[in-house]
Structures are given as structure tokens and as C-alpha cells.
């Protein structure tokens, strides 16, 4: 996902913009650029490559003097990474510059129209069409030009815009892609996300869809796309500045793994009151809960994996049918949503385009959507009918860990709440489950203490070519996440398989020494999974087992065993995933991979 930073004030803009872009590197990018007004004209420097290329090009911003400017880190969508395709883009006379995060979906017909009017394009990007459209509609009034353009473009955008003829202001515009603005005594800021401005201000305002912000050095004005001025309320960010730094860990990912006990506790505690589960933000009465006939869970990636887990947990505890979809499938398969359906979308960033689209599709059909979201004020959080936040704090590493764990316990709470209201869980069972929930943070802490043992085991597999994760029921969902963690940061091919399905073809891939991680946390399925472990061992596999303390039987079939503490089987994912996160992390570290910013990936996929 691209990163945008803008500044106007008393200080030199370029160093502030470079610093802010550095705080947004986690979003994934392939090029970077800046436009700075030097008192006479707009200077633009941009290049493919990491941010340090731009820093070297501009001597840390020194060669770009000026007190207002916009900057950008680009994650390519239209047009390969290149200097020409980097942002900012500008009009023919270089008197208007624009940076953009999102996709202009109708850029091709617009580009053709502008070329028919004689405009020349330098890049393959969709964004450049904005620069020429602004040029076309600008007659001296920037706001008027901007609103005219916005009425003609379709798609998603967060924009930073500047006009050489108006060197006392910069503009920010938002539709679907995240954008915030902030202010301190030295000036005003635009940013795609909070970490970019935390160093300068904790008071920020979330720009909503179809809003325009005019920023001057000491104040900001907000407008609708119809140029009506509106008032906005800023929020104070209470994140500790270090929360966006590594806090002494080698990688954000390791830091965030070690934050899991806290994020799980922070997500559970506020919702357990006097030995009952209270989820006020659900805004659902007991009658509303009793009226739910089916739950549709929609998400992407790891969030989808928590949804697969939730299917077993909700169906098991509340006896409500649950259907789980990856959002990119849900939005195009014309899903059958019937009266009594509740749609639940899960998203760490709250900006994932497919998940946001699934939310809108459900609402368009008249169904209420519950969002389980981590980023406060994100698009999904604001558009869902109700939001249940996972209080995991900023998650910087591209590979999710603490937000994933927070999503799991949020879903357990939901399942228990629904199960209790619907009379499917006895008071005694409920009380025991609450105790099990409260024990999870300490048990996660205990498993994290195992890291040296896991690291030694992981070091054996830095050269692996194929790794398989197998399990049944919830263990299959755990296997999905274990496999994704390994492949997305170590680039080793891996597959998760329903353990009972392996023999229907894929087992032919098992060779001498192939690592198969067998997840076995469901007592009712212990024997079945042992049989599958024997199957793969007979074909030469090395079997790693992740199972519950006390399941000694498994040692007959496993070559290496990692035990997790006893807990309710429905909560086992929260524990079994810890050694698998550590395994993927240490294999990636052993391979020297860029753990926090894996190749080809972005922290939030805000485009289709
Ligand atoms: C997780 O490790 C991955 N980086 C990715 O699958 C992620 O879970 C997915 O893109 C969904 O993101 P979201 O939770 O922000 O919607």
C-alpha cells in the first residue's frame, strides 16, 4: 500500500516528509518521491527503489529547500516500478503536483479524453490522469478544480495536492484509502497513517470519504466535495511513541509476537464483567442474538484463517450455522444471504479492499455487518454497522501475529456470548471457559519462552523446499495460519492440508526428509491425526507434532513434539499458533529474509 506525507509550516518540509515516509515503510513500496515548493517553483525528485535512494538523491532533503511539500512511497498497481511511474505526478508546466494511494478505476477513458485534448502522458500510471485533469479544470481556484476532478473519477484515492500558484496551502482528499491530517505549532501535516506524524503531534483528524482538507501553515479547513465547509473533531493518539518502534527487538514481528499476551488480555478483559461476557459494541439485544439464523464470516489471509477457526467455535458453542468466505470470492459469487443472516468481516487494517467491498455488498443487500477490526477509525471500522475492536495497537510487521491472536479471542467471546444467550452453554461450562480464556495470556507467555528450542529446530529447515502443515477441524485452521506464516516471510513453499485429505493426491509429494507439521490439539481427533502422521512417516516425512500436554500417544508417530498447555479445545488455536509463528520467524531470520517487509507484500492490501 502506498504511503503519503505532506507538510506546510515554518520548518523545512523535505526532512519532515522523508522522516514521515520512513515511518510508513512498513506499508510496502517499490519507489519514492517528493515535490517541494522552493518559493518560486515546485521541485520534484523521485526514484524507484528504497527510501534511502531518494534520501541520497536529495542529500536528506537539503537540495530541496522549501516549507511546503508532499511525498510518497509507491506500491505499484498500474505500471511497473520505475522512476517515471513514481509519484508525485505533475501537469505539463509542473505547476500542479499530486500523490495518490488507491486506484482510479476509470483512468483509461479519462486518459484517452485528455490525450485527445492534447495532453501528453509520461507514465503508465492511473494517477497521472489526476495531474492533467487538475490542470484542465484549474482556473485559479484549487478547491474548485479539485471538486470538479473528484466528480469525474471513480475508484479509491487518498491524495496530497499542491499548486505552485498557491504556495500558502496544500490539499488532502480521501475516498476509501486511509488519510489523516494533524497540526502542531510548526505547521500542518498530511499522512496515510499515524506513525508518520507521531513525532510531531498526537492530535490527528481522520479524513472521511469524499472530504477535502485545505491545510495552511497554522490552520486547516475541511470541505465536502460540494465545497461546503464542515467541522471535524480531532482525536488524541495515546499510543506510546515506542509502540511504533521496535522496542529493542530485532524485528517488529518478534516484538509483536511478544505483545500477544497483552493484546489477548486487552481484548478479553474489557468484555468480561462480573463473570459474564459484555460486548456492548455489538448493539445486539438477547432477542437480536436469538434471531440470528446464520453467520457469514468474510475476510482475507490470516483474518480468513481466524474465520475458519470461528466456524468450528461458533457452530460448536452456539449451534448457529457459519459460512466462511475469502472476501475476494464473496464479493463476486452472488452469495445467498437470507433473513436472519449476520455478516461478520474481520480485518486488522480495516482497509483491505476486498473485505471493505464485501461489507458494502452485504449492506447494499440490507444486512447488518459486524466489523472485527484493529485500526481505530479505519474504513471498515467506520462503515460497519457495529465494530468490535481488537485492541492490539499498531501492528507494523507485514506478517500479522498479535492482531491475529486478538481476532481469535474476540471471536471466542462472540461465540460464548451467543452460545450462552441461546442456552447452549451451561453456567458451569461457561464459568470454566471464562477461566480458560483468562489463562490464555500467561500460557502464550509460557510458549514464547520456548523460543530458543524452536529457533534450534527452525535452523534445520532454512534450506527446506516444501513444508506441509496438516490437521483436522480447528487443527486444519491452525495449519493454514502456520503455513502462511512460514511462506510469507521465508519464501519457502508450504501447504496446509486437511489431514484426512492428504491421501487423495498430495501425499505423492512427500519425500525422504520432507517436513510435515502435524497439529493435533483436538482430543476427539488425536487418533485420526496419529494415523495421518504414520501415513506420511511411512513415505519418509520428518514429522513435527504440535499437541496438548498429556498426549503422550503421539510420540510413537512424531519425530519432534512441541507441547502446548491444557486449555479448552475451542481455544487451542491461540496456543498452538505460537510455536508455529516462532518457527516461521526463525526460518526466515535464518535465511536472512526481510522479516518485517517481505518481498511482494504490503501490510494492507487496499487495492483489488
Ligand atoms: C497476514 O500475515 C498477511 N500479511 C495477510 O494475509 C493479511 O492477513 C491479509 O491481507 C488481511 O489483512 P487485514 O486483516 O488487514 O484485512
Amino acid at each position: 500500500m502506498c504511503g503519503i506525507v505532506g507538510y506546510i509550516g515554518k520548518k523545512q518540509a523535505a526532512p519532515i516528509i522523508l522522516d514521515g515516509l520512513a515511518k510508513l515503510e512498513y506499508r510496502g513500496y517499490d519507489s519514492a518521491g517528493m515535490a517541494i515548493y522552493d518559493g518560486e517553483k515546485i521541485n520534484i525528485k523521485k526514484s524507484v527503489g528504497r527510501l534511502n535512494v531518494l534520501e541520497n538523491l536529495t542529500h536528506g532533503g537539503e537540495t530541496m529547500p522549501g516549507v511546503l511539500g508532499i511525498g510518497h512511497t509507491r506500491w505499484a498497481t498500474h505500471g511497473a516500478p520505475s522512476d517515471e511511474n513514481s509519484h508525485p505526478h505533475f501537469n505539463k508546466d509542473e505547476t500542479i503536483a499530486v500523490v495518490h494511494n488507491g486506484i482510479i478505476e476509470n483512468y483509461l477513458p479519462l486518459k484517452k479524453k485528455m490525450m485527445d485534448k492534447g495532453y501528453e502522458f509520461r507514465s503508465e500510471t492511473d494517477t497521472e490522469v489526476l495531474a492533467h485533469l487538475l490542470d484542465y479544470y484549474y482556473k485559479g481556484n484549487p478547491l474548485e478544480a479539485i471538486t470538479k476532478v473528484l466528480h469525474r473519477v471513480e475508484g479509491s484515492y487518498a491524495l496530497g495536492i499542491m499548486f505552485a500558484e498557491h504556495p500558502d496551502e496544500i490539499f488532502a482528499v480521501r475516498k476509501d484509502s486511509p488519510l489523516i491530517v494533524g497540526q502542531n505549532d510548526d505547521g500542518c501535516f498530511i499522512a496515510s497513517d499515524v506513525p508518520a506524524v507521531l513525532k510531531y503531534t498526537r492530535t490527528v483528524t481522520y479524513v472521511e470519504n469524499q472530504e477535502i482538507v485545505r491545510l495552511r501553515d497554522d490552520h486547516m479547513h475541511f470541505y465536502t466535495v460540494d465545497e461546503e465547509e464542515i467541522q471535524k473533531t480531532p482525536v488524541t493518539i495515546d499510543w506510546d511513541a515506542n509502540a511504533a518502534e521496535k522496542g529493542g527487538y530485532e524485528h517488529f514481528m518478534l516484538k509483536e509476537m511478544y505483545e500477544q499476551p497483552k493484546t489477548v488480555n486487552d481484548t478479553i478483559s474489557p468484555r468480561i464483567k462480573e463473570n459474564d461476557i459484555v460486548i456492548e459494541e455489538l448493539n445486539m439485544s438477547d432477542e437480536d442474538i436469538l434471531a440470528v439464523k446464520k453467520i457469514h464470516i468474510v475476510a482475507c489471509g490470516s483474518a480468513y484463517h481466524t474465520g475458519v477457526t470461528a466456524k468450528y467455535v461458533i457452530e460448536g458453542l452456539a449451534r448457529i450455522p457459519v459460512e466462511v468466505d475469502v472476501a475476494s470470492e464473496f464479493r463476486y459469487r452472488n452469495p445467498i444471504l437470507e433473513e436472519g443472516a449476520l455478516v461478520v468481516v474481520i480485518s486488522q487494517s480495516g482497509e483491505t479492499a476486498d473485505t471493505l467491498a464485501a461489507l458494502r455488498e452485504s449492506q447494499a443487500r440490507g444486512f447488518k455487518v459486524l466489523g472485527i477490526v484493529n485500526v481505530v477509525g479505519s474504513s471498515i471500522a467506520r462503515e460497519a454497522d457495529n465494530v468490535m475492536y481488537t485492541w492490539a495497537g499498531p501492528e507494523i510487521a507485514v506478517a500479522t501475529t498479535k492482531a491475529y491472536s486478538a481476532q481469535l479471542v474476540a471471536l471466542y467471546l462472540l461465540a460464548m456470548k451467543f452460545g450462552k444467550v441461546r442456552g447452549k452453554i451451561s453456567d458451569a461450562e461457561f464459568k470454566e471457559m471464562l477461566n480458560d480464556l483468562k489463562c490464555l495470556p500467561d500460557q502464550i507467555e509460557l510458549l514464547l519462552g520456548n523460543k530458543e528450542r524452536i529457533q534450534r529446530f527452525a535452523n534445520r529447515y532454512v534450506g527446506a523446499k516444501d513444508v506441509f502443515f496438516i490437521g483436522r477441524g480447528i487443527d486444519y485452521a491452525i495449519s493454514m495460519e502456520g503455513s502462511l506464516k512460514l511462506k510469507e516471510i521465508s519464501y519457502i513453499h508450504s501447504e496446509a492440508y486437511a489431514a484426512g485429505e492428504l491421501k487423495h493426491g498430495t501425499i505423492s509429494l512427500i519425500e525422504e526428509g520432507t517436513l510435515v507439521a502435524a497439529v493435533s490439539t483436538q482430543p476427539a481427533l488425536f487418533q485420526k491425526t496419529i494415523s495421518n502422521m504414520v501415513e506420511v512417516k511411512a513415505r519418509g516425512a520428518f514429522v513435527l507434532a504440535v499437541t496438548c500436554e498429556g498426549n503422550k500417544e503421539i510420540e510413537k508417530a512424531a519425530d519432534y513434539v512441541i507441547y502446548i498447555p491444557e486449555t479448552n479445545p475451542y481455544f487451542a488455536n491461540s496456543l498452538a499458533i505460537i510455536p508455529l509463528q516462532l518457527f516461521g520467524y526463525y526460518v526466515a531470520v535464518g535465511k536472512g529474509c526481510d522479516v518485517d517487509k517481505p518481498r511482494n507484500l504490503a501490510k494492507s492490501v487496499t487495492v483489488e
Side-chain angles (χ1 to χ4, degrees):
M1 190 163 99
C2 307
I4 290 173
V5 177
Y7 172 78
I8 180 168
K10 305 180 180 65
K11 303 262 188 185
Q12 287 300 297
I16 291 173
I17 290 170
L18 288 169
D19 175 76
L21 291 176
K23 295 290 190 299
L24 298 179
E25 282 194 288
Y26 70 83
R27 302 161 68 86
Y29 70 101
D30 48 60
S31 50
M34 278 193 293
I36 307 287
Y37 181 78
D38 66 3
E40 291 173 7
K41 65 189 181 321
I42 293 175
N43 294 308
I44 289 174
K45 292 285 183 197
K46 56 185 191 174
S47 64
V48 69
R50 306 303 283 186
L51 199 51
N52 64 351
V53 175
L54 181 65
E55 284 167 348
N56 295 338
L57 200 59
T58 63
H59 300 292
E62 285 174 17
T63 62
M64 297 186 82
V67 294
L68 76 149
I70 50 180
H72 188 264
T73 46
R74 179 176 184 248
W75 188 55
T77 53
H78 295 69
S82 70
D83 291 352
E84 301 71 27
N85 289 336
S86 308
H87 301 205
H89 289 284
F90 40 90
N91 64 335
K92 174 168 67 315
D93 305 335
E94 301 194 17
T95 54
I96 299 173
V98 60
V99 291
H100 167 226
N101 175 27
I103 288 183
I104 304 302
E105 298 191 350
N106 63 334
Y107 86 97
L108 284 174
L110 289 173
K111 183 169 181 175
K112 185 178 179 322
K113 271 186 193 163
M114 299 313 287
M115 290 174 79
D116 291 347
K117 293 178 192 300
Y119 282 86
E120 292 175 10
F121 282 72
R122 304 176 183 87
S123 76
E124 306 158 287
T125 66
D126 55 332
T127 304
E128 189 182 355
V129 79
L130 296 173
H132 298 309
L133 282 168
L134 287 164
D135 179 273
Y136 180 72
Y137 288 110
Y138 176 70
K139 307 293 181 224
N141 178 338
L143 190 60
E144 180 190 69
I146 290 170
T147 52
K148 283 185 175 174
V149 170
L150 298 185
H151 281 99
R152 282 156 182 78
V153 298
E154 295 162 13
S156 59
Y157 43 85
L159 304 177
I161 309 171
M162 58 194 286
F163 296 78
E165 289 183 7
H166 295 264
D168 58 346
E169 55 194 14
I170 56 176
F171 292 84
V173 186
R174 189 258 162 102
K175 178 175 175 290
D176 294 341
S177 295
L179 203 61
I180 61 160
V181 289
Q183 182 173 358
N184 70 6
D185 295 341
D186 295 325
C188 290
F189 306 81
I190 303 171
S192 297
D193 195 0
V194 167
V197 300
L198 263 188
K199 180 176 170 183
Y200 307 101
T201 180
R202 291 184 173 281
T203 307
V204 302
T205 303
Y206 287 93
V207 185
E208 310 263 351
N209 270 359
Q210 309 280 46
E211 288 180 351
I212 303 164
V213 193
R214 180 201 297 267
L215 300 94
R216 294 214 167 105
D217 62 354
D218 59 0
H219 64 278
M220 296 184 278
H221 288 280
F222 297 83
Y223 304 88
T224 66
V225 287
D226 299 318
E227 297 184 49
E228 289 155 7
E229 186 154 2
I230 52 176
Q231 298 307 313
K232 295 280 289 181
T233 309
V235 298
T236 301
I237 300 297
D238 57 8
W239 295 346
D240 177 334
N242 292 328
E245 298 305 327
K246 295 177 191 168
Y249 289 91
E250 187 184 354
H251 298 103
F252 280 116
M253 185 175 173
L254 189 61
K255 169 178 170 287
E256 288 155 6
M257 278 193 264
Y258 274 75
E259 288 177 354
Q260 290 181 112
K262 180 178 182 306
T263 60
V264 164
N265 186 58
D266 289 352
T267 302
I268 291 174
S269 300
R271 294 158 173 140
I272 296 178
K273 294 190 174 85
E274 291 159 17
N275 287 324
D276 195 8
I277 292 175
V278 179
I279 313 175
E280 282 151 4
E281 60 270 41
L282 273 192
N283 290 318
M284 290 178 79
S285 65
D286 287 0
E287 291 68 33
D288 294 334
I289 290 174
L290 289 167
V292 174
K293 294 189 175 62
K294 183 169 185 179
I295 294 176
H296 295 263
I297 298 177
V298 189
C300 299
S302 294
Y304 167 73
H305 298 157
T306 66
V308 177
T309 300
K311 172 182 171 64
Y312 293 102
V313 181
I314 295 170
E315 288 190 347
L317 293 180
R319 305 309 293 159
I320 301 173
V322 178
E323 196 170 322
V324 195
D325 277 274
V326 289
S328 53
E329 289 296 306
F330 179 87
R331 63 187 293 198
Y332 294 118
R333 70 173 180 82
N334 190 16
I336 298 171
L337 298 178
E338 294 176 324
E339 193 252 332
L342 170 67
V343 178
V344 178
V345 296
I346 307 170
S347 176
Q348 186 285 129
S349 63
E351 300 298 347
T352 300
D354 287 322
T355 310
L356 182 58
L359 176 155
R360 290 172 175 166
E361 172 70 17
S362 305
Q363 289 178 331
R365 295 174 178 220
F367 290 89
K368 285 198 178 300
V369 177
L370 168 66
I372 297 183
V373 184
N374 191 46
V375 177
V376 175
S378 58
S379 303
I380 291 173
R382 284 179 296 100
E383 294 194 26
D385 297 283
N386 297 296
V387 188
M388 186 176 178
Y389 280 117
T390 52
W391 303 116
E395 186 175 69
I396 307 298
V398 166
T400 182
T401 51
K402 64 175 184 174
Y404 171 88
S405 290
Q407 287 163 1
L408 284 176
V409 294
L411 289 158
Y412 303 156
L413 290 168
L414 198 67
M416 289 171 66
K417 177 72 183 174
F418 276 45
K420 183 140 183 301
V421 168
R422 299 166 73 99
K424 304 297 182 188
I425 306 176
S426 70
D427 290 349
E429 286 168 333
F430 190 79
K431 188 163 182 273
E432 188 179 346
M433 292 175 80
L434 278 185
N435 286 331
D436 286 339
L437 268 184
K438 291 172 186 171
C439 291
L440 288 177
D442 289 344
Q443 292 175 320
I444 292 170
E445 192 84 52
L446 196 67
L447 288 164
L448 288 167
N450 254 349
K451 72 173 183 175
E452 282 78 18
R453 181 171 181 248
I454 306 277
Q455 184 172 11
R456 283 196 300 277
F457 180 79
N459 288 340
R460 301 185 207 171
Y461 289 96
V462 293
K465 293 288 173 282
D466 288 297
V467 180
F468 292 86
F469 292 75
I470 64 173
R472 290 169 176 261
I474 286 177
D475 292 335
Y476 177 32
I478 299 169
S479 299
M480 290 176 183
E481 181 60 12
S483 172
L484 179 59
K485 281 286 123 353
L486 175 68
K487 58 188 157 186
E488 68 176 327
I489 59 175
S490 74
Y491 317 143
I492 291 174
H493 173 256
S494 168
E495 283 183 68
Y497 242 84
E501 182 63 10
L502 210 58
K503 55 184 168 297
H504 298 283
T506 302
I507 201 165
S508 67
L509 296 179
I510 304 298
E511 297 172 340
E512 188 60 33
T514 302
L515 176 61
V516 175
V519 183
S520 180
T521 69
Q522 306 299 303
L525 297 167
F526 279 167
Q527 284 309 319
K528 295 294 179 192
T529 304
I530 286 175
S531 308
N532 299 132
M533 291 162 66
V534 171
E535 278 166 12
V536 293
K537 256 181 88 64
R539 289 155 178 84
F542 184 97
V543 178
L544 159 68
V546 180
T547 191
C548 311
E549 280 165 2
N551 180 17
K552 294 298 180 193
E553 184 82 3
I554 208 162
E555 291 181 5
K556 286 187 310 188
D559 296 298
Y560 193 92
V561 183
I562 296 171
Y563 286 104
I564 63 171
E566 288 289 335
T567 185
N568 186 300
Y570 286 122
F571 305 157
N573 192 335
S574 297
L575 301 182
I577 198 58
I578 302 302
L580 298 182
Q581 289 171 345
L582 288 168
F583 175 70
Y585 172 78
Y586 282 117
V587 169
V589 168
K591 288 189 67 177
C593 296
D594 187 347
V595 171
D596 285 333
K597 298 191 286 291
R599 69 186 182 199
N600 306 339
L601 295 182
K603 181 58 185 170
S604 170
V605 185
T606 59
V607 293
E608 280 202 47

